[in-house]
């Protein structure tokens, strides 16, 4: 809400909507270029637009006004398109080390002793900004396909190197921003998607160390999209394909097992599924008696006995472990496929 005394003021959002966004849109529309290719005329227009918007940020900063996240993201997107690594680095470093950001980080820590609602409100904007940075960095591909499906290289080697450097820079800053706002599960989700499994595990463990009630209960972690036990299992299975030594693959999965014992222990609990001999109906229970010769066994046979993880991801990567049943049993998979 803008106070009535400032009714004639122009907000940053209005400048973006009325000036910067239309100029950028017109530049790309006129050039009708692909997502990766920029012709010289469009490049010059974007460069001019970038210089003006950066000057706007400098003026705001000179008056102790923090640029809004949308304005920073707009400039980041322009620098990303222009492969301007140096300016992108300077822009993000200047914003992420600003007094306002540092104040927000201090406020977040202070709110640990306050209400959960206040804590969530303060860090929500920080998380959204960080996720937009990640979206910019990961949404543009380095290759495209022609009408015949053949791969086209959009950049030369030097351009490709600079663009990859820009991408790594944005990802690093986005993750650092999430960490500064204690958004550990959000960071872990993106890190796991990017294949940085050990970093994802580290952030999940940091989440468990957060003061109550700000942490997510470990027993409900499997329900969080992107960082469920099955998500980690799939990611570790994919990572194992890059490891040539079987002993190292076994060590990798033992590490996963010890982590899941803390993060989502319930996913490893074995739940027997029982089937009536005279019926196709199955029931599940972890407590029904299965002793040898028990009368129950005359009516029911054990159809399978697996963990929740095995139920969600039934295909165990046996080939990583020489078809040994030991690793299957460790994660609650049946000892026979």
């Amino acid at each position: 809400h803008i106070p009535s005394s400032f009714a004639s003021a122009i907000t940053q959002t209005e400048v973006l909507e009325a000036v910067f966004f239309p100029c950028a849109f017109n530049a790309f529309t006129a050039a009708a270029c692909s997502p990766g290719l920029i012709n010289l005329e469009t490049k010059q227009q974007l460069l001019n637009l970038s210089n003006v918007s950066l000057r706007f940020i400098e003026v705001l900063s000179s008056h102790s006004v923090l640029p809004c996240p949308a304005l920073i993201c707009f400039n980041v997107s322009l620098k990303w398109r222009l492969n301007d690594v140096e300016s992108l680095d300077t822009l993000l470093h200047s914003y992420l080390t600003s007094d306002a950001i540092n104040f927000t980080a201090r406020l977040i820590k202070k709110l640990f002793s306050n209400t959960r609602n206040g804590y969530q409100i303060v860090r929500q904007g920080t998380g959204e900004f960080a996720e937009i940075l990640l979206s910019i960095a990961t949404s543009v591909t380095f290759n495209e396909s022609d009408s015949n499906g053949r791969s086209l290289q959009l950049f030369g080697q030097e351009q490709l190197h600079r663009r990859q450097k820009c991408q790594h820079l944005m990802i690093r800053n986005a993750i650092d921003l999430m960490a500064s706002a204690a958004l550990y599960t959000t960071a872990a989700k993106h890190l796991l998607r990017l294949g940085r499994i050990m970093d994802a595990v580290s952030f999940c463990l940091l989440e468990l160390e957060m003061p109550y009630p700000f942490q997510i209960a470990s027993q409900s972690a499997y329900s969080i999209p992107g960082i469920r036990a099955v998500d980690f299992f799939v990611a570790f299975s994919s990572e194992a394909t890059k490891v040539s030594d079987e002993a190292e693959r076994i060590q990798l999965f033992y590490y996963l097992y010890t982590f899941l014992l803390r993060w989502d222990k319930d996913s490893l609990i074995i739940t027997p599924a029982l089937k009536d001999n005279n019926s196709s109906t199955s029931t599940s229970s972890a407590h029904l008696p299965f002793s040898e010769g028990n009368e129950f066994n005359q009516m029911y046979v054990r159809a399978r006995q697996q963990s929740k993880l095995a139920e969600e991801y039934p295909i165990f990567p046996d080939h990583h472990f020489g078809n040994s049943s030991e690793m299957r049993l460790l994660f609650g998979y049946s000892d026979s496929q």
Side-chain angles (χ1 to χ4, degrees), residues 286-322:
H287 307 290
L288 288 177
F290 288 108
S291 58
E292 192 75 24
N294 190 290
E295 292 183 2
F296 241 93
N297 290 341
Q298 299 175 12
M299 300 172 59
Y300 294 91
V301 295
R302 186 180 309 183
R304 65 187 185 278
Q305 188 172 2
Q306 299 191 118
S307 64
K308 294 179 181 179
L309 172 62
E311 293 287 341
E312 288 193 68
Y313 193 76
I315 304 175
F316 189 84
D318 294 280
H319 56 283
H320 289 325
F321 315 106

Side-chain angles (χ1 to χ4, degrees), residues 250 254 316 323-331 335:
I250 292 174
Y254 267 116
F316 189 84
N323 294 318
S324 171
S325 62
E326 181 180 351
M327 296 304 294
R328 295 180 62 89
L329 297 174
L330 189 67
F331 287 92
D335 57 0

Side-chain angles (χ1 to χ4, degrees), residues 144-152:
E144 287 187 350
S145 299
D146 61 14
S147 57
N148 297 320
R150 291 174 298 187
S151 178
L152 298 175

Side-chain angles (χ1 to χ4, degrees), residues 12 69 78 86 93 130 132 180 214 220 265 286 298 328 331:
Q12 295 181 50
L78 289 179
E86 291 76 14
H93 182 267
I132 291 173
S180 71
F214 301 105
S220 64
K265 187 177 181 180
Q298 299 175 12
R328 295 180 62 89
F331 287 92

Side-chain angles (χ1 to χ4, degrees), residues 8-223:
S8 60
I10 299 177
T11 66
Q12 295 181 50
T13 301
E14 289 172 330
V15 172
L16 280 166
E17 293 178 345
V19 180
F20 293 144
F21 287 166
C23 287
F25 179 78
N26 290 338
F28 283 111
T29 301
C33 58
S34 70
L37 296 172
I38 297 179
N39 59 35
L40 291 177
E41 182 181 357
T42 303
K43 183 175 182 179
Q44 187 59 50
Q45 290 177 332
L46 294 180
L47 186 59
N48 293 338
L49 185 58
S50 176
N51 291 335
V52 172
S53 58
L54 280 176
R55 178 56 184 160
F56 181 49
I57 291 177
E58 291 173 2
V59 172
L60 292 173
S61 300
S62 69
H63 290 81
S64 301
V65 177
L66 180 69
C68 68
L71 182 58
I72 297 297
C73 286
F74 176 73
N75 277 272
V76 166
S77 184
L78 289 179
K79 297 303 180 186
W80 166 244
R81 284 299 184 93
L82 295 168
N83 285 339
D84 192 347
V85 181
E86 291 76 14
S87 296
L88 179 60
D89 190 14
T90 301
L91 174 65
L92 289 175
H93 182 267
S94 176
Y95 180 75
L96 298 177
T97 58
S98 65
D99 291 337
I101 291 294
N102 290 332
F103 171 76
T104 301
R106 292 194 299 270
L107 183 59
I108 286 173
K109 292 179 180 179
K110 183 178 180 180
L111 284 171
F112 271 134
S113 60
N114 206 328
T115 65
R116 183 183 177 92
N117 287 339
Y119 169 73
Q120 295 289 4
I121 290 172
V122 169
R123 70 177 187 165
Q124 181 179 358
T126 304
E128 291 176 352
F129 173 56
E131 292 204 81
I132 291 173
L133 281 182
L134 276 173
S135 177
I136 294 172
T138 58
S139 62
V140 179
T141 61
F142 296 149
N143 296 282
E144 287 187 350
S145 299
D146 61 14
S147 57
N148 297 320
R150 291 174 298 187
S151 178
L152 298 175
Q153 185 70 43
L154 297 179
F155 308 100
Q157 286 301 315
E158 183 179 352
Q159 286 181 309
L160 181 62
H161 175 73
R162 292 177 66 84
R163 176 153 288 243
Q164 289 173 335
K165 190 173 181 180
C166 281
Q167 184 183 53
H168 295 156
L169 181 66
M170 282 192 286
I171 291 173
R172 185 194 70 196
N173 280 279
I175 297 299
D176 287 348
L177 194 57
M178 292 176 186
S180 71
L183 293 163
Y184 300 131
T185 55
T186 304
K189 176 185 67 176
H190 290 290
L191 287 168
L192 199 62
R193 181 172 56 85
L194 293 169
R196 294 168 55 180
I197 59 174
M198 293 305 180
D199 290 334
V201 167
S202 297
F203 274 103
C204 286
L205 294 178
L206 285 174
E207 176 72 27
L208 295 180
E209 295 172 3
M210 289 179 67
Y212 181 82
F214 301 105
Q215 67 167 255
I216 300 170
S218 60
Q219 63 266 27
S220 64
Y222 70 90
S223 64

Side-chain angles (χ1 to χ4, degrees), residues 210-274:
M210 289 179 67
Y212 181 82
F214 301 105
Q215 67 167 255
I216 300 170
S218 60
Q219 63 266 27
S220 64
Y222 70 90
S223 64
I224 303 171
I227 51 173
R228 302 168 301 162
V230 66
D231 297 318
F232 277 100
F233 190 84
V234 171
F236 269 74
S237 297
S238 177
E239 183 68 19
T241 62
K242 307 173 187 176
V243 181
S244 58
D245 185 69
E246 183 178 317
E248 291 183 12
R249 293 196 294 268
I250 292 174
Q251 184 179 16
L252 183 69
F253 269 73
Y254 267 116
Y255 181 81
L256 171 62
Y257 174 73
T258 57
F259 163 67
L260 290 180
L261 285 178
R262 291 191 61 189
W263 183 243
D264 184 13
K265 187 177 181 180
D266 286 355
S267 68
L268 301 176
I269 294 177
I270 293 176
T271 304
L274 309 176

